[in-house]
Amino acid sequence: MGNHKNKHSVVVKFLLHLHPKKVDENAVKYSRTFGLGGISALLFVILATTGMMLRFSYVPVIDRAYESILDLQTYYIFGLLLRNIHYWSANLMVVVVFLHVLRVFYSQSIYFERRKNWLCGLVLLFLVLSFNFTGYLLPWDQLSFWAVTIMTEILSYIPLIGTYLSVILRGGEQVGQSTLMNFYVLHTGLLPLLMIVFMIFHFWLVRKAKGVTTSQPERTKLVNVSSHLVRKEIIAALAIGALVMLLSLFFDAPLKDMANSLVSSNPSKAPWYFMGLQEFLMHIHPSFVAFVLPVMVLSLLIYISYQTSESINVGVWFNSKSGKKQMIKSAISSFLFTLILIFVTEYLLNFRGWFSSMPLIVSTGLIPFLLYLIPAVGYFWFLSRGKKSNKPELLMSIVTIIIVSYIVMMSIGIWFRGESMKLIF
Ligand code: HEM
C-alpha cells in the first residue's frame, strides 16, 4: 500500500512539473492554444517510439538501406504501418509546430518574460526541420537522394563557409555513403538528444512565465487542472492519434526507385516544406535564398521579440481589432503580389539577358530583390503614415507578408511545377 502511494506520488509529481494544480480559467479555453504545443509534444513521443522500432530493421548502408525498407514493408508484421505512422507523424509535426508558431506570434505571446521561450522555440523550429530533413534521406530512393542533393547544393551558396558546410554535411563532394551515415547519426542520435533538452527547457519556461498568455491582464477564476486541462489534453491526444492512424492506414509513405546518382528524377523537388525555397531559387540568385533572406528573416524574428513598446497587448490576438484588419489586408496583398511577381519574373522579365554585362549576383540577385523591396517599403510607409499603425502591428504585418509569400511559393512549387520545373496549370 505504502509502495503504491509512493509510485502514485511520483506520477503526480511529474505531472505537477508540467502543470500547476490550479490554472486560470481563460488559459485553458481551447481557443487559447488550440492544444498545438501539447500536440507537437505528443507527435514527438510517437516519432521517438516508432523511430526506435524502425531502427531494428533499418540498415544505414547505401546498398542495403533501400532494400531494408522494402523488407520492413514486406516481411515484418505491421512493418508498413509502422513506417507510415512515423512518416505521417513527422509531416504532421511540421504543420502543427508551424501553426503553434503562428498562435504564439499572433497572440502576442513572445514578449517580455516570454522572449526567452520564443528564442528557445526558434531553436526547436530549426531542430524539427533538421529532423525531418535528415530522415528524408534514409529510404535512399530517387525522391530522397535528389531532394538532399538540391538542398545541400543550396547550402553551398552561403558566402565563405557554404561549400565547407555542404562538404561536411555530405561527408564529401557528392551525396553518398558518408552522407547517409551523417544523416542517420544526426537523425537517430544527436537531434533527439538536443530536441529533448530544448523541449524540457521550453516547458520549464512556460511554467516560469506563469503559464500561457490570456487576453485578460488580471487572472480571473482559477480552476482545477485535472478536470479542466488534463481532460481536454486527453481528448486532443486521442483525436490526433486517430488522425495519424487513419492517414497511415489509407495512405502509404512514398517509396520511389532506389537512388541512382546518374539519373536525376525529373522534376527533382525538395521536401514540401522547403519547396518555397526551391521556388524562390527559380527567380533569384541562390545566395539570396541560402543566405541574405534567411538571415534577414531570422534577425527580424529575433528583433521583434525585443520590443518593449507600451502598445503591445500581451495575449490579445493580432494586438487589436484594427491590427487584425491590417493582417488580413497584408495577407491578401502579399498573396496577390507574390503571384503576380512569380508570373512576371517567369515570363516577362529576363534580368540575366538585360543586365548581361553585370555579375550574376547583381543581375539575378540585387535587381529582383530591389524590385520586391521597393513596393514593400511603400506599403509599410502607407501603413505607418496613412493608417497610423503602431510598431508591433507594423512588424507583425511584415512577418505576415513573408509568411504568406512563402506559402504561395511553396504551393506553386509543390502543385504547379512539372517536368523540368516548368509552370503547369
Ligand atoms: C517541438 C516543438 C515544440 C513543442 C513540443 C512545444 C510545446 C509548447 C507547449 C506545450 C506550450 C504551452 C501550450 C501552448 O502554447 O500550446 C508552448 C508554448 C510556447 N511555445 Fe512552444 N513548442 C514547440 C515549438 C515552438 C516553436 C518552434 C516556437 C517559436 C518559434 C515556440 C514558442 C512558444 C512560446 C513563445 C510559448 C509561450 C506561449 C504563451 O506563453 O502563451 N514553440 N510550447
Side-chain angles (χ1 to χ4, degrees):
M1 186 71 187
N3 231 348
H4 173 73
K5 205 174 156 199
N6 229 346
K7 222 168 148 191
H8 189 71
S9 69
V10 172
V11 177
V12 173
K13 262 190 203 153
F14 174 70
L15 285 178
L16 286 176
H17 273 93
L18 296 174
H19 293 313
K21 261 189 183 147
K22 299 252 179 200
V23 274
D24 185 343
E25 192 181 29
N26 291 304
V28 291
K29 283 195 179 131
Y30 204 68
S31 58
R32 176 64 351 210
T33 65
F34 301 103
L36 293 164
I39 294 173
S40 311
L42 172 68
L43 287 171
F44 179 71
V45 173
I46 299 178
L47 283 162
T49 319
T50 46
M52 248 180 297
M53 294 185 196
L54 285 169
R55 273 191 65 152
F56 282 105
S57 67
Y58 181 75
V59 187
V61 178
I62 54 173
D63 313 326
R64 299 282 316 282
Y66 182 77
E67 213 175 284
S68 73
I69 301 266
L70 279 182
D71 283 354
L72 169 81
Q73 300 189 161
T74 324
Y75 302 117
Y76 285 60
I77 183 159
F78 296 131
L80 178 60
L81 184 66
L82 182 68
R83 176 167 181 244
N84 287 351
I85 293 176
H86 196 74
Y87 172 84
W88 282 113
S89 307
N91 283 291
L92 269 180
M93 183 146 178
V94 176
V95 178
V96 173
V97 167
F98 174 66
L99 293 177
H100 174 60
V101 175
L102 295 190
R103 135 42 209 153
V104 296
F105 179 74
Y106 286 116
S107 68
Q108 308 291 287
S109 310
I110 64 169
Y111 302 104
F112 311 111
E113 69 272 35
R114 290 179 176 80
R115 180 197 312 134
K116 225 185 250 170
N117 219 3
W118 170 248
L119 302 179
C120 169
L122 290 177
V123 177
L124 279 172
L125 185 63
F126 172 77
L127 290 178
V128 169
L129 292 176
S130 308
F131 236 122
N132 248 278
F133 181 55
T134 48
Y136 205 85
L137 182 68
L138 303 185
W140 202 252
D141 66 345
Q142 280 290 73
L143 201 67
S144 64
F145 180 88
W146 288 102
V148 170
T149 305
I150 295 171
M151 292 307 296
T152 41
E153 188 77 44
I154 295 182
L155 213 63
S156 67
Y157 282 95
I158 297 177
L160 302 175
I161 53 164
T163 321
Y164 188 61
L165 250 178
S166 163
V167 169
I168 289 190
L169 204 61
R170 284 181 175 179
E173 295 291 328
Q174 307 290 334
V175 175
Q177 176 58 50
S178 310
T179 326
L180 185 62
M181 205 52 183
N182 281 353
F183 277 42
Y184 177 70
V185 171
L186 286 171
H187 190 76
T188 62
L190 186 62
L191 289 172
L193 189 74
L194 289 176
M195 190 83 170
I196 290 169
V197 171
F198 278 93
M199 267 171 61
I200 292 173
F201 188 46
H202 195 60
F203 297 155
W204 178 70
L205 286 173
V206 173
R207 286 293 306 267
K208 201 161 167 256
K210 305 217 165 41
V212 298
T213 55
T214 66
S215 51
Q216 270 77 21
E218 295 302 322
R219 288 188 168 229
T220 46
K221 208 175 130 201
L222 288 179
V223 291
N224 215 328
V225 76
S226 55
S227 51
H228 287 77
L229 183 56
V230 177
R231 215 193 71 215
K232 283 184 184 165
E233 283 173 339
I234 292 174
I235 294 172
L238 288 175
I240 259 318
L243 177 65
V244 170
M245 208 57 186
L246 280 176
L247 285 169
S248 308
L249 285 172
F250 291 104
F251 304 98
D252 289 342
L255 189 68
K256 296 265 181 323
D257 293 337
M258 186 174 157
N260 182 346
S261 58
L262 301 175
V263 184
S264 71
S265 62
N266 189 359
S268 290
K269 291 192 179 184
W272 64 268
Y273 40 89
F274 286 142
M275 268 317 289
L277 290 181
Q278 198 182 349
E279 175 62 34
F280 200 35
L281 201 62
M282 317 273 303
H283 306 277
I284 204 160
H285 192 275
S287 302
F288 278 75
V289 181
F291 182 68
V292 179
L293 274 136
V295 167
M296 281 175 73
V297 172
L298 187 64
S299 313
L300 176 69
L301 292 179
I302 295 172
Y303 169 75
I304 288 181
S305 66
Y306 278 85
Q307 303 304 302
T308 50
S309 155
E310 277 181 8
S311 34
I312 293 172
N313 290 320
V314 171
V316 178
W317 283 99
F318 306 103
N319 205 43
S320 66
K321 277 218 168 81
S322 64
K324 183 175 171 184
K325 275 192 199 144
Q326 191 187 303
M327 282 336 114
I328 295 172
K329 280 185 200 151
S330 302
I332 295 173
S333 315
S334 173
F335 176 79
L336 295 175
F337 190 56
T338 311
L339 266 189
I340 292 170
L341 221 66
I342 287 177
F343 287 102
V344 167
T345 48
E346 178 91 7
Y347 295 120
L348 297 178
L349 301 182
N350 178 3
F351 295 107
R352 190 183 283 233
W354 292 348
F355 304 100
S356 54
S357 56
M358 296 180 180
L360 275 183
I361 181 107
V362 177
S363 62
T364 64
L366 207 58
I367 294 175
F369 184 60
L370 288 178
L371 188 82
Y372 193 91
L373 213 58
I374 293 167
V377 170
Y379 178 76
F380 289 116
W381 182 82
F382 165 75
L383 280 184
S384 60
R385 299 277 142 179
K387 299 273 172 185
K388 301 260 179 308
S389 292
N390 59 37
K391 197 171 171 196
E393 289 169 7
L394 216 70
L395 290 169
M396 205 165 29
S397 273
I398 302 182
V399 176
T400 306
I401 286 176
I402 295 171
I403 291 173
V404 172
S405 187
Y406 189 83
I407 294 176
V408 171
M409 289 194 289
M410 191 176 85
S411 311
I412 294 273
I414 297 173
W415 290 299
F416 299 100
R417 291 273 174 198
E419 216 166 278
S420 307
M421 293 302 276
K422 291 234 161 57
L423 274 182
I424 43 163
F425 301 100

